[in-house]
């Protein structure tokens, strides 16, 4: 008897799209239910775009974009957003960098002016560069070097799985590379990647489409037109033999392990990719999931585990090559080999015996709930639509994602599980060096 799937409706957020003469793509999604707006600008440049010898540069440049711009002095962006009652931030990903604000809707023009001003050009000075190099180095110390499991597995697993510099290098950057960065490097990076033709602007929330369009044309229309650079092909062949690596973390109190398998291209083979997104949740989401029930509750071979698509954890904002990851922390003296064997056993069992009654529907309902919650807030909606436009030219896919997840079949999930073989796996083991 086939496993029952969840019946999940699509959302119906309106989507308006247009392109300015300078190549800037714009996505508007009005929602007049509350006087709040989310504004997001996504540039098609991320960690994979960094040149050799300049590791960490995409993230460093994200910091520089907050250090003043063509008509604004340093810290002015902060004051203008917070002075209007808003919040702001930016983040660097493998395949894009985003900048965003949440504001009262009467501050729309303020947000558009601020983003357009730094799209024209940030203030790239020696003082700003040296200051932000120090800030990024301190961030690395706090988040990686002086933290248990720092960089595990998002920094430590890619060099095991991949061979090429774009896919394998440390996206936070080495101190030597960061310290050797120059203002000329930053100016070249801006000219190459921070072009209007390489960006997407998304605005969601309490807007009038006609008025917002006029304001966007007013503030962004005269940003100099520069085309998007040609995007390199980052493809790599799949593994044909298992790869394993081990390192000691002097601060880690418990051993840990993470494994990853390549998955279909999320952009060109979305139908083939989606079952892996569902599979990761079937295996690890909640106390009733396959691996949690077996390894945490029954065998006690791990103290906790998780599974997800993409090294930075969001399955719908990454390009190929990417992977399904499983990671676990073990009790003192835990057996990593046993953990990996158990994962293999459970994958084989799922592929051979299928899912239990209600297992798939329960998982899909939870996934749909998370998707709907993440885009309920106007900023979450703007960010997701901006990335969907950037990578797929389909911002309206946001409305379809919950339903598409719900349409994945048991047969597809079983077939996906059957491909996760040991010989296709890359894994990294953390040897605990702390609390001795």
């Amino acid at each position: 008897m086939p496993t029952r799937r969840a019946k999940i409706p699509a959302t119906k957020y309106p989507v308006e799209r247009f392109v300015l003469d300078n190549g800037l793509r714009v996505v508007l999604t009005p929602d007049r239910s509350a006087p709040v707006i989310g504004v997001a600008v996504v540039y098609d440049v991320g960690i994979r775009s960094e040149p050799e010898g300049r590791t960490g540069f995409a993230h460093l440049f994200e910091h520089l974009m907050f250090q003043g711009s063509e008509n604004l002095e340093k810290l002015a962006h902060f004051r203008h957003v917070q002075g209007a009652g808003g919040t702001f931030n930016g983040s660097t990903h493998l395949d894009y960098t985003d900048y965003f604000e949440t504001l009262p809707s009467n501050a729309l023009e303020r947000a558009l002016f601020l983003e357009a001003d730094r799209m024209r050009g940030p203030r790239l000075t020696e003082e700003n560069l040296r200051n932000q190099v120090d800030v990024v180095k301190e961030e690395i110390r706090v988040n990686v070097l002086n933290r248990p499991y720092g960089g595990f597995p998002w920094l430590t697993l890619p060099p095991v799985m991949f061979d090429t510099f774009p896919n394998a290098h440390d996206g936070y950057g080495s101190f030597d590379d960061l310290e050797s960065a120059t203002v000329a490097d930053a100016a070249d990076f801006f000219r190459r990647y921070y072009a209007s033709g390489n960006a997407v602007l998304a605005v969601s929330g309490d807007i009038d489409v006609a008025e917002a369009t006029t304001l966007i044309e007013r503030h962004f229309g005269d940003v100099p037109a520069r085309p998007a650079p040609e995007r390199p092909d980052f493809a790599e062949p799949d593994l044909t033999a298992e790869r394993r690596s081990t390192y000691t973390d002097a601060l880690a109190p418990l051993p840990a392990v993470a494994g990853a398998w390549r998955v279909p291209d999320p952009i060109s083979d979305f139908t083939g990719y989606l079952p892996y997104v569902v599979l990761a949740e079937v295996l690890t989401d909640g106390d009733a999931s396959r691996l949690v029930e077996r390894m945490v509750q029954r065998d006690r071979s791990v103290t906790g585990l998780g599974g997800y698509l993409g090294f930075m954890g969001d399955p719908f904002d990454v390009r190929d090559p990417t992977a399904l990851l499983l990671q676990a922390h073990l009790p003192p003296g835990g057996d990593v080999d046993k953990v990996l064997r158990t994962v293999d056993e459970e994958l084989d069992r799922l592929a051979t015996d299928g899912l239990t009654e209600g297992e798939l529907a329960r998982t899909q309902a939870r996934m749909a709930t998370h998707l709907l919650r993440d885009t309920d807030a106007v900023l979450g909606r703007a960010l997701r639509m901006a990335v969907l436009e950037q990578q797929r030219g389909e911002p309206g896919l946001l409305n379809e994602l919950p339903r598409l997840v719900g349409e994945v079949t048991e047969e597809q999930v079983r077939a996906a599980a059957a491909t996760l073989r040991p010989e296709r796996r890359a894994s990294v083991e953390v040897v605990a060096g702390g609390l001795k």
Side-chain angles (χ1 to χ4, degrees):
M1 176 175 165
T3 298
R4 180 168 51 88
R5 287 179 286 150
K7 294 193 187 314
I8 299 167
T11 52
K12 296 178 181 177
Y13 296 122
V15 180
E16 300 280 344
R17 301 169 66 215
F18 58 93
V19 181
L20 297 185
D21 291 342
N22 57 16
L24 177 67
R25 289 178 281 168
V26 180
V27 179
L28 304 178
T29 173
D31 177 358
R32 311 306 292 266
S33 61
V36 180
I37 55 167
V39 177
V41 178
V42 169
Y43 294 90
D44 199 338
V45 58
I47 290 168
R48 285 199 253 228
S49 303
E50 294 169 345
E52 292 194 50
R54 288 294 179 265
T55 59
F57 205 88
H59 177 232
L60 173 62
F61 199 86
E62 175 215 318
H63 280 245
L64 291 172
M65 287 285 279
F66 288 95
Q67 302 305 303
S69 54
E70 186 172 270
N71 293 296
L72 294 170
E73 72 278 10
K74 189 171 183 174
L75 302 181
H77 191 106
F78 299 56
R79 290 197 303 272
H80 284 298
V81 175
Q82 293 172 335
T87 59
F88 65 93
N89 212 333
S91 59
T92 307
H93 302 253
L94 290 177
D95 296 305
Y96 68 93
T97 305
D98 57 23
Y99 304 87
F100 48 87
E101 296 87 17
T102 302
L103 287 155
S105 54
N106 62 4
L108 171 61
E109 185 165 16
R110 179 178 300 211
L112 297 176
F113 165 76
L114 293 171
E115 290 297 349
D117 203 58
R118 62 179 166 188
M119 186 178 287
R120 291 186 185 90
R123 294 203 176 190
L124 302 177
T125 67
E126 185 67 24
E127 178 186 0
N128 285 344
L129 177 61
R130 300 275 68 89
N131 172 267
Q132 291 309 301
V133 165
D134 289 342
V135 170
V136 171
K137 286 167 61 179
E138 185 60 23
E139 188 175 327
I140 294 170
R141 292 186 187 100
V142 170
N143 291 338
V144 180
L145 300 180
N146 295 317
R147 172 178 291 188
Y149 312 105
F152 171 79
W154 77 278
L155 294 178
T156 56
L157 191 49
V160 183
M161 170 163 268
F162 298 117
D163 295 319
T164 65
F165 175 82
N167 296 318
H169 77 277
D170 179 348
Y172 246 144
S174 72
F175 282 9
D176 285 346
D177 283 358
L178 290 168
E179 289 166 355
S180 64
T182 67
V183 172
D185 292 333
D188 182 66
F189 196 81
F190 176 79
R191 280 192 299 269
R192 180 183 299 270
Y193 295 112
Y194 278 72
S196 53
N198 206 38
V200 175
L201 166 68
V203 183
S204 68
D206 184 22
I207 58 170
D208 175 84
V209 169
E211 179 186 358
T213 300
T214 299
L215 292 174
I216 289 166
E217 290 172 341
R218 176 185 305 164
H219 290 284
F220 287 89
D222 64 351
V223 174
R226 286 182 288 124
E230 184 175 347
R231 186 175 181 275
D233 181 2
F234 297 129
E236 287 195 36
D238 196 1
L239 300 186
T240 56
E242 183 179 13
R243 295 182 180 181
R244 293 184 65 169
S245 179
T246 301
Y247 70 97
T248 298
D249 185 335
L251 300 176
L254 297 171
V257 65
W261 299 258
R262 290 280 298 277
V263 296
D265 187 323
I267 307 299
S268 67
D269 187 13
F270 193 52
T271 301
Y273 173 78
L274 270 178
Y276 291 86
V277 182
V278 177
L279 173 61
E281 302 300 314
V282 167
L283 292 172
T284 65
D285 185 34
D287 291 343
S289 62
R290 291 288 176 117
L291 296 183
V292 173
E293 192 278 328
R294 167 80 186 271
M295 301 170 71
V296 178
Q297 298 176 352
R298 193 194 326 164
D299 295 353
R300 305 288 178 91
S301 58
V302 303
T303 59
L305 58 82
Y308 47 94
L309 272 289
F311 288 91
M312 301 184 80
D314 190 329
F316 302 117
D317 70 356
V318 67
R319 292 181 171 123
D320 192 64
T322 189
L324 184 152
L325 282 79
L326 298 174
Q327 67 180 79
H329 292 80
L330 285 65
D335 186 340
V336 166
D337 289 333
K338 179 183 177 182
V339 167
L340 293 175
R341 283 197 305 271
T342 304
V343 170
D344 293 337
E345 290 171 10
E346 289 299 315
L347 287 168
D348 286 342
R349 188 165 71 89
L350 196 159
T352 302
D353 300 339
L355 289 89
T356 61
E357 176 61 27
E359 185 177 12
L360 182 57
R362 179 184 68 241
T363 301
Q364 290 168 319
R366 287 170 68 108
M367 294 177 69
T369 299
H370 294 321
L371 286 168
L372 294 169
R373 182 192 63 198
D374 290 347
T375 56
D376 184 56
V378 291
L379 180 59
R381 212 174 305 155
L383 284 166
R384 175 61 55 79
M385 285 196 175
V387 176
L388 290 172
E389 170 64 38
Q390 173 226 12
Q391 296 184 350
R392 303 169 183 273
E394 293 183 78
L397 185 62
L398 176 142
N399 287 319
E400 304 299 324
L401 284 175
R403 178 183 59 79
L404 292 172
V405 163
E407 290 178 352
V408 171
T409 67
E410 176 186 4
E411 291 72 23
Q412 290 175 304
V413 175
R414 292 175 63 176
T419 70
L420 304 190
R421 307 300 304 161
E423 63 271 15
R424 296 184 59 243
R425 180 175 60 218
S427 62
V428 61
E429 175 185 350
V430 180
V431 177
L435 296 184
K436 289 186 176 178

